[in-house]
Amino acid sequence: MRVVRFHAPGDVRIEDAPEPSPGPGEVKIRVRACSTCGTDVKILRFGHHHIVPPRVMGHEIAGEVVESGADGWVPGDRVQVIAAIPCGTCAECRRGRMTVCPNQVSMGYHFDGGFAEHMIVPVNVLAVDGLNRIPDGLSYAEASVAEPLACVLNGQGLARVGDGDDVVVMGSGPIGCLHVRLARARGAGRVFLVDLNRERLDLAAALVGPDAAICGAETDVVDAVLKLTEGRGADVVITAAAAGAAQEQAVQMAARQGRISFFGGLPKDKPVIALDSNLVHYRELTIVGANGSSPAHNKEALRLIATGAVPVADLITHRLPLDRALDAFGIVARGEAIKVTVEP
Ligand SMILES: [Zn+2]
Ligand SMILES: [Zn+2]
């Protein structure tokens, strides 16, 4: 079968590999859609300390069961697979905090991922209820977007996005678009979208229709948000951009008792920002992080997509066959697309 395999930074090959067979307790799927994201581009360029090559990449996975060694799954079942796999037994997992499990392993990192014609769903995934049935009427491509939406759900839960909130989303990539849509579904008041790149901002704004689109290269973003919110600032600010400057601005534009989600991480060599601690103190701000998603978030994401609460079909702007996976990464790297899905 054909696979997209990471060998070393800058060396990702589309090549032949033997078709895997499932062991006891495992499920084999025919991958139908595996979406790409910025993480894939990062792995391609820099590798990852959890990846021992060669490793099949791809972590936003949907497919069809073709062989099953696990109870409850039969050929023909349409399934979505979690990406981040908690252990289910540690102190954090037992407290229900599966996104911060210190023993977490991941599809495409510790296990061969979804950029392949076939893939094994490991026992670890099934042990934490991480293989999900795709609701009827939902395409494989849409189901593959459940994983990033699950991460967005985790972030907005921690930042308590709710009724009437003015929400700023910084970064208009696929994650930013999902944040805009989910905030609306959670009853947010006004939602503002920010990006430095005017083209990408316009593309995203045309799809998700924020109440205002602010280009950081043309205007002072903090001023713009204060003007749009009658001087109050935003109840919630979400940074979906790997930029310390965005995180610093997020704190400055938050309303009293505002919540700030540092949703996107910063580059490893530049993780320190300047923070006006008195803003946090006097305005009673809450700053929260976000690290992936739990199996429950994935189930909820599938449900939200299926009910139409968070549509994703129109966010999939490019669909490419497996042999063009490297082109897909290029499109993502250049910011030309919202979501790029590979269909092996
Ligand atoms: Zn991803
Ligand atoms: Zn755990």
Side-chain angles (χ1 to χ4, degrees):
M1 64 169 186
R2 301 292 280 168
V3 301
V4 178
R5 212 148 48 174
F6 173 86
H7 287 267
D11 181 11
V12 169
R13 301 177 205 163
I14 296 165
E15 58 193 5
D16 288 315
E19 209 175 296
S21 359
E26 295 178 338
V27 169
K28 175 178 171 178
I29 64 171
R30 172 75 178 89
V31 181
R32 294 297 180 190
C34 188
S35 283
T36 59
C37 76
T39 306
D40 296 311
V41 176
K42 254 193 271 175
I43 293 169
L44 164 66
R45 286 183 181 157
F46 309 114
H48 191 280
H49 62 284
H50 282 149
I51 298 183
V52 180
R55 173 65 72 214
V56 177
M57 296 169 61
H59 59 271
E60 303 184 357
I61 307 158
E64 183 185 349
V65 174
V66 287
E67 225 181 304
S68 172
D71 287 343
W73 300 98
V74 294
D77 285 345
R78 291 166 12 98
V79 294
Q80 180 263 351
V81 187
I82 59 169
I85 312 163
C87 74
T89 56
C90 72
E92 304 312 327
C93 283
R94 286 201 313 272
R95 285 168 171 79
R97 300 171 190 159
M98 289 191 158
T99 54
V100 288
C101 170
N103 309 318
Q104 184 183 291
V105 287
S106 304
M107 296 305 297
Y109 293 69
H110 306 81
F111 301 100
D112 279 341
F115 293 137
E117 288 174 69
H118 291 91
M119 190 197 85
I120 297 297
V121 179
V123 173
N124 310 49
V125 166
L126 292 151
V128 294
D129 198 17
L131 187 61
N132 300 308
R133 286 177 205 285
I134 300 175
D136 289 342
L138 208 61
S139 70
Y140 288 113
E142 289 168 286
S144 73
V145 183
E147 192 278 330
L149 179 59
C151 299
V152 166
L153 265 168
N154 179 42
Q156 292 204 13
L158 290 165
R160 303 190 313 272
V161 175
D163 257 348
D165 282 337
D166 283 337
V167 178
V168 173
V169 177
M170 304 183 76
S172 69
I175 290 289
C177 288
L178 290 172
H179 270 299
V180 172
R181 289 234 161 118
L182 181 64
R184 298 256 194 241
R186 293 173 71 103
R190 294 172 294 188
V191 184
F192 308 118
L193 185 59
V194 177
D195 204 295
L196 283 171
N197 179 331
R198 166 56 74 181
E199 265 176 60
R200 194 161 95 140
L201 179 64
D202 288 346
L203 172 68
L207 284 166
V208 297
D211 292 279
I214 306 162
C215 179
E218 298 165 12
T219 11
D220 182 307
V221 176
V222 176
D223 272 358
V225 169
L226 289 175
K227 275 196 197 104
L228 286 161
T229 54
E230 300 80 38
R232 277 189 72 238
D235 299 292
V236 180
V237 186
I238 299 164
T239 61
Q247 294 187 344
E248 290 170 5
Q249 290 172 333
V251 176
Q252 291 162 18
M253 67 175 75
R256 283 163 176 76
Q257 287 200 355
R259 287 90 67 202
I260 298 117
S261 169
F262 288 171
F263 186 86
L266 297 185
K268 293 226 171 349
D269 56 342
K270 267 198 208 160
V272 178
I273 61 166
L275 173 72
D276 184 342
S277 166
N278 275 338
L279 286 181
V280 178
H281 174 75
Y282 289 111
R283 293 186 187 173
E284 300 186 354
L285 303 180
T286 304
I287 300 175
V288 290
N291 181 55
S293 61
S294 70
H297 289 125
N298 281 255
K299 286 193 197 324
E300 175 67 0
L302 277 171
R303 195 189 65 80
L304 290 171
I305 299 170
T307 59
V310 181
V312 300
D314 59 339
L315 301 182
I316 301 167
T317 50
H318 296 66
R319 301 163 86 136
L320 296 175
L322 188 78
D323 275 322
R324 292 192 58 205
L326 292 175
D327 294 338
F329 297 162
I331 293 166
V332 173
R334 293 190 298 275
E336 293 168 3
I338 301 295
K339 204 69 187 163
V340 186
T341 300
V342 171
E343 300 180 317

